[in-house]
Amino acid sequence: MIQQYEEKLLNLIDTMVETASDDELFAGGYLRGHISLSAANCEMDGISSIQAMNSAVEESLVEAQSELTPADQLIVKAMWEQLQQGVS
């Protein structure tokens, strides 16, 4: 279930590439790593809840927020919210 959810999220990012702005391309690329890492960690821990996966991604983003400027954090957060809505 987690793997299918991860694939849906990554596919959404891929389909955005053709029409995405530079900021959206950046956010999509940045989120890819957090999504894949969170999915792998969930699967390794035997977690199959989509909600737990979303929480893991959000926690990962919070832990890494020092990597981004406040403006980039907002762009990434908006993209993450858009992706979640796109797969529901």
Side-chain angles (χ1 to χ4, degrees), residues 25-84:
L25 288 172
F26 162 75
Y30 186 79
L31 281 167
R32 272 184 162 286
H34 289 276
I35 291 167
S36 294
L37 180 62
S38 296
N41 287 337
C42 284
E43 287 188 354
M44 193 169 47
D45 294 340
I47 297 168
S48 60
S49 161
I50 299 301
Q51 184 62 34
M53 162 83 175
N54 287 342
S55 295
V57 171
E58 289 166 15
E59 186 177 311
S60 179
L61 292 172
V62 167
E63 289 175 5
Q65 69 184 2
S66 65
E67 298 175 348
L68 303 175
T69 65
D72 285 344
Q73 289 174 25
L74 292 174
I75 294 165
V76 169
K77 182 178 181 191
M79 172 71 77
W80 172 236
E81 290 171 2
Q82 181 181 350
L83 289 172
Q84 290 177 84

Side-chain angles (χ1 to χ4, degrees), residues 2-16 28 31-32 34-36 38-39 50 53-54 57 79-88:
I2 293 291
Q3 184 179 8
Q4 293 160 334
Y5 183 63
E6 174 192 16
E7 287 175 12
K8 287 180 184 178
L9 291 169
L10 297 179
N11 284 337
L12 272 177
I13 292 170
D14 290 344
T15 59
M16 295 174 160
L31 281 167
R32 272 184 162 286
H34 289 276
I35 291 167
S36 294
S38 296
I50 299 301
M53 162 83 175
N54 287 342
V57 171
M79 172 71 77
W80 172 236
E81 290 171 2
Q82 181 181 350
L83 289 172
Q84 290 177 84
Q85 290 173 1
V87 294
S88 34

